[in-house]
Amino acid sequence: MIETAEKRGYDTGLRAKHPFLEGASFPVWIANFVLMDYGTGAIFGCPAHDQRDLEFARKYGLGVVPVVLPSGADPANFAIGSEAFVGPGTVFNSDFLNGLDVEAAKRAAIDDLERRGVGRGEVNWRLRDWGVSRQRYWGCPIPVVHCDACGVVPVPDDQLPVELPDDVTFDRPGNPLDHHPIWKYVACPRCGAEARRETDTFDVFVDSAWYFLRFCSPQSDTPVDQNAVRHWMPVDQYIGGIEHAILHLLYSRFFTRAMKRTGHLNIDEPFAGLFTQGMVTHESYRSAAGPNGTWLYPEEVVKQPEGSATHRVTGDPVVIGRVEAMSKSKRNTVDPEAIISRYGADTARWFILSDNPPERDMEWTEAGVAGAFRFTQRAFRLAEALGPDFQDPWSGPTTCDAAQVLRRMTHRTIAAVSEALDSFAFNVAVARLYELANALSDAEREEDTGGLGWARREAAEMLARLISPMMPHLAEEIYARLHPGAGRLVADLAWPDADPDLLATETVTIAVQVMGRLRGTISAPPDAPREANLAAAKAETNVARLLEGKRIVKEIYVPNRIVNFVVA
């Protein structure tokens, strides 16, 4: 409510001295969006880098001085418009703090205040007692009854679960359960007198903070079965967005510790591994009408060739905002139904996984999705060009160089994708699969002899099996084309293993240093004799020039990696 409410304030007429600039001061205002329990209740406004402060400053004509410069921006021209800049950058317009990043500037400011004896650094914790009740319909009912004679009475086990009524109305302010004419009233389980149900519902975290423990024994008569939780817990891998790392993870750890104290568990931590994924981002758009134009959905905007934008219906100018996390408030969301109906679910997944490492934010762009769709079509065409031929393994000698090259690429891709998926490097797996598709395309142009046809088919089948975690529908379609009538699904097959003989590297690149500085490289067979590699290193053109007339006092050799000559 504070975020969206009109910002209102009152100028007290008081002035606060600037802590760093001699003779400078600032006005002291009372504002309706400053929280009493945030810090000391009196805060220093930073309108260039806080949206609420910016809206307040614009309304009352207060100064807006940017002090954080985005990467690549010109300090002479950078200004704040209708949106505060809240991203990372370099501090400027800040005297002795100029040039520092934000965190370093905070530390430097605190150090200076402490050195002058006018302030001290302090860590403030914002943990509060957990109020678990909510005055709303959507939620798990709190299973207690309020009786005038007996007080608060738990609902008996044989009356659980307490179910929410289906006929609530939302035409009055407040909690619909508190207004319900029938559900709210019930007999006291203890004395039978008229009583009232608890109309508050639980915070959703009360349920989500321990559901994984219930999964261990969902049919148990007790909250958890000790043998089951000892077998299954802790969870091997936890994956969630940044909001999960802050909230859900915190509540889950709290519940786990509490349930250990009550004797339900024997572990302290619920999750053995944590992976925090990035957010999906998109440009934001605002109507140019008025100082705070309404936010627009991407489908309401038409991008012009010169980089501007207009409203799709009215043609009015549109302000293009920053690329930021998709949110309902900024309306910079993309309807997945529209993407799926146009490109398919496989393409949407492929693009999301291909753009960035999963721990980093990714920007959703129409061009990126279209590129992913082109690969989807290409992969299908590569398999369709083969059909059901070459189903049996090649039994003759592999006399075709192209076949040998393609088979090595196929099995190296199997190994690389397997390793990438195990380490959550999905974008790396996608990149390796692009390389395999390119190799398969190159092989199409070669003469189909010496086992090349079978090598192409093997590559196409492995492409299908390796993309199956990301594009399951396409994988099944390709596999069915290659094995018509087989009745097998890729999902039922074991994950492929790479042939070790095809993983062997034919050559390695060895760095050649002189006095510890890189001066050239040589290529050699793996584990080639030491003397052969030393001779080749000395003969390298740039290295030979540097060694001319010098005496080699030491030769440092790291097999398959480095040669270093120490000279006098």
Side-chain angles (χ1 to χ4, degrees):
M1 291 174 64
I2 289 175
E3 291 282 352
T4 58
E6 179 189 2
K7 307 302 182 291
R8 302 177 62 188
Y10 172 78
D11 187 355
T12 65
L14 300 173
R15 307 286 297 187
K17 292 182 179 179
H18 196 294
F20 298 108
L21 299 181
E22 187 68 33
S25 64
F26 292 98
V28 178
W29 285 71
I30 295 172
N32 67 339
F33 63 91
V34 179
L35 303 177
M36 286 284 291
D37 57 353
Y38 186 84
T40 64
I43 63 169
F44 183 88
C46 190
H49 307 289
D50 182 277
Q51 190 62 34
R52 292 170 299 181
D53 289 349
L54 178 62
E55 293 171 4
F56 187 83
R58 295 297 191 209
K59 178 172 182 176
Y60 291 102
L62 304 176
V64 179
V65 180
V67 294
V68 179
L69 185 69
S71 176
D74 183 356
N77 301 323
F78 180 66
I80 299 298
S82 61
E83 290 187 49
F85 174 68
V86 296
T90 304
V91 171
F92 75 128
N93 291 334
S94 300
D95 196 51
F96 69 99
L97 303 176
N98 289 343
L100 301 175
D101 63 53
V102 175
E103 290 304 316
K106 290 178 182 179
R107 292 192 297 271
I110 292 171
D111 291 344
D112 186 79
L113 293 171
E114 290 182 334
R115 180 181 57 79
R116 292 190 281 120
V118 294
R120 61 184 177 85
E122 184 176 289
V123 176
N124 291 314
W125 301 95
R126 285 192 285 167
L127 289 174
R128 300 287 185 270
D129 288 341
W130 184 10
V132 298
S133 60
R134 298 291 183 269
Q135 294 74 49
R136 61 188 179 198
Y137 170 73
W138 302 108
C140 178
I142 299 175
V144 297
V145 171
H146 299 273
C147 174
D148 291 337
C150 305
V152 179
V153 182
V155 173
D157 289 352
D158 60 1
Q159 296 180 24
L160 296 175
V162 176
E163 296 184 354
L164 294 170
D166 296 329
D167 56 347
V168 293
T169 59
F170 298 91
D171 55 351
R172 296 167 58 187
N175 184 358
L177 294 177
D178 202 33
H179 304 150
H180 199 281
I182 301 172
W183 182 88
K184 177 180 177 180
Y185 301 100
V186 66
C188 173
R190 186 170 296 163
C191 70
E194 292 184 358
R196 302 171 307 283
R197 291 190 189 277
E198 174 58 63
T199 56
D200 283 4
T201 54
F202 275 125
D203 176 3
V204 293
F205 283 113
V206 174
D207 307 310
S208 66
W210 72 285
Y211 71 90
F212 46 88
L213 296 168
R214 183 62 181 174
F215 280 177
C216 297
S217 51
Q219 306 302 325
S220 174
D221 292 333
T222 57
V224 295
D225 178 89
Q226 291 283 0
N227 292 328
V229 294
R230 272 194 293 269
H231 174 76
W232 288 108
M233 294 298 295
V235 175
D236 295 308
Q237 183 65 53
Y238 180 111
I239 302 175
I242 189 63
E243 73 282 358
H244 280 210
I246 296 170
L247 291 174
H248 183 258
L249 179 63
L250 178 69
Y251 287 112
S252 298
R253 297 180 72 199
F254 168 81
F255 251 72
T256 300
R257 298 292 180 93
M259 292 178 73
K260 182 181 181 182
R261 288 197 178 188
T262 60
H264 291 89
L265 298 176
N266 63 342
I267 56 173
D268 289 317
E269 293 291 346
F271 311 119
L274 169 66
F275 185 87
T276 303
Q277 67 201 36
M279 306 291 282
V280 181
T281 65
H282 197 284
E283 278 184 335
S284 54
Y285 308 103
R286 244 180 179 168
S287 168
N292 294 305
T294 56
W295 296 104
L296 301 172
Y297 289 107
E299 61 264 28
E300 298 178 275
V301 176
V302 177
K303 301 286 288 291
Q304 304 300 329
E306 72 277 9
S308 62
T310 56
H311 194 284
R312 184 176 297 277
V313 176
T314 65
D316 294 335
V318 169
V319 177
I320 301 176
R322 297 195 311 271
V323 174
E324 50 191 317
M326 288 187 180
S327 67
K328 290 179 288 186
S329 62
K330 298 290 178 66
R331 296 190 175 183
N332 62 334
T333 57
V334 176
D335 183 1
E337 288 294 335
I339 298 298
I340 291 170
S341 63
R342 183 173 180 183
Y343 296 111
D346 278 1
T347 296
R349 274 191 294 266
W350 184 256
F351 170 59
I352 290 173
L353 295 174
S354 67
D355 193 62
N356 266 333
E359 67 272 16
R360 290 173 51 189
D361 293 348
M362 67 150 294
E363 181 181 356
W364 186 278
T365 64
E366 188 72 15
V369 183
F373 184 58
R374 286 193 295 272
F375 176 79
T376 304
Q377 296 172 305
R378 182 181 173 208
F380 180 79
R381 184 194 62 77
L382 288 169
E384 192 174 38
L386 288 164
D389 297 333
F390 312 109
Q391 290 207 39
D392 296 326
W394 180 253
S395 57
T398 308
T399 57
C400 174
D401 289 343
Q404 294 176 355
V405 169
L406 183 57
R407 291 211 70 211
R408 282 195 294 270
M409 171 60 78
T410 299
H411 285 264
R412 289 172 186 173
T413 302
I414 294 172
V417 170
S418 301
E419 181 181 355
L421 294 182
D422 282 344
S423 59
F424 297 100
F426 305 121
N427 61 312
V428 175
V430 169
R432 298 290 83 81
L433 290 166
Y434 271 118
E435 293 174 358
L436 178 58
N438 291 339
L440 189 51
S441 293
D442 293 341
E444 280 187 326
R445 295 188 284 270
E446 299 289 336
E447 185 179 355
D448 201 355
T449 59
L452 179 58
W454 185 82
R456 285 173 55 200
R457 191 179 186 288
E458 179 191 37
E461 179 174 327
M462 289 305 155
L463 181 65
R465 294 172 66 177
L466 294 173
I467 66 173
S468 62
M470 288 82 82
M471 293 199 285
H473 303 98
L474 178 64
E476 298 295 354
E477 190 67 32
I478 290 176
Y479 191 80
R481 294 272 174 161
L482 297 173
H483 295 275
R488 294 192 303 270
L489 294 175
V490 174
D492 294 330
L493 301 177
W495 186 255
D497 292 320
D499 185 340
D501 293 337
L502 295 173
L503 299 180
T505 305
E506 294 181 309
T507 61
V508 294
T509 299
I510 299 176
V512 183
Q513 300 176 342
V514 178
M515 299 298 290
R517 298 185 64 181
L518 180 66
R519 298 301 187 182
T521 61
I522 61 171
S523 294
D527 301 316
R530 180 178 187 274
E531 294 306 321
N533 284 341
L534 288 174
K538 292 174 184 176
E540 200 277 335
T541 304
N542 192 40
V543 175
R545 180 179 57 81
L546 292 170
L547 294 180
E548 187 176 357
K550 302 287 179 63
R551 181 171 61 90
I552 299 176
V553 297
K554 189 174 184 180
E555 296 173 340
I556 302 171
Y557 178 70
V558 180
N560 301 323
R561 294 181 59 190
I562 294 173
V563 173
N564 183 23
F565 298 111
V566 180
V567 298

